[in-house]
Amino acid sequence: MDEAHDGETVAGSLADWLAALTFSDQGTDQVTALLADAVADWAAAQGWRVYRRAKSVLPLPPPYQHRHSYLDVACARPAGAPIAIEIDHTDRRRTVDKLLAEAAEGRIALWVRWGTRGFEPPPPPVHMVTCPVTSRPGPDRNRLYSHLPPAHRPAPTHTTADLQDARQPDLFG
């Protein structure tokens, strides 16, 4: 399997896993933690080794260039390229740079984005997995976020009345 197709397959699998995740009225940090836990659970369910806060190949900018950034989740697979995953609520250029550096080292780079608005796709070969949420104001002026399954409501039954009759006596009797 070529690397691009493998990345699409992995991203699709994670997207399906996260689509089943539900939470309600969580703060920003809690949502990010829930998503990191869900990503780690997904990887473990695949039989892969999971690393939380794995060291990135990208060093920090000066004056901390002797230190390294960290990935939210990294996965080692028995077959296939390793996976580097970042989880973000915001659109940070540093995240894209980090994932591009990981991809340049032969890893599948996944960017899990969550939020209430549309998401700009990252440059290839970074794959984006989205988790759209709803939000509302919380009691302490912070936003509360929810990700609930879509309601599957049946279509309403339609009337069998002849709507061509201009009088419509059954409606205004």
Side-chain angles (χ1 to χ4, degrees), residues 77-170:
R77 305 185 297 165
I83 302 170
I85 305 165
E86 279 290 286
I87 302 164
D88 276 320
H89 173 62
T90 59
D91 188 13
R92 294 180 17 184
R93 180 66 207 176
R94 175 101 178 126
T95 298
V96 173
D97 293 343
K98 186 187 313 184
L99 289 170
L100 287 171
E102 294 293 329
E105 293 294 320
R107 295 169 182 89
I108 292 174
L110 301 179
W111 192 10
V112 176
R113 292 284 315 275
W114 68 272
T116 58
R117 296 192 175 107
F119 306 101
E120 281 295 316
V126 177
H127 300 275
M128 185 164 46
V129 175
T130 61
C131 182
V133 297
T134 58
S135 73
R136 67 177 186 84
D140 58 357
R141 299 183 132 206
N142 289 321
R143 305 293 301 170
L144 295 176
Y145 301 95
S146 299
H147 184 254
L148 303 171
H152 294 289
R153 293 184 246 169
T157 56
H158 295 283
T159 182
T160 57
D162 180 13
L163 297 179
Q164 298 301 321
D165 184 0
R167 291 177 288 135
Q168 299 180 349
D170 57 327

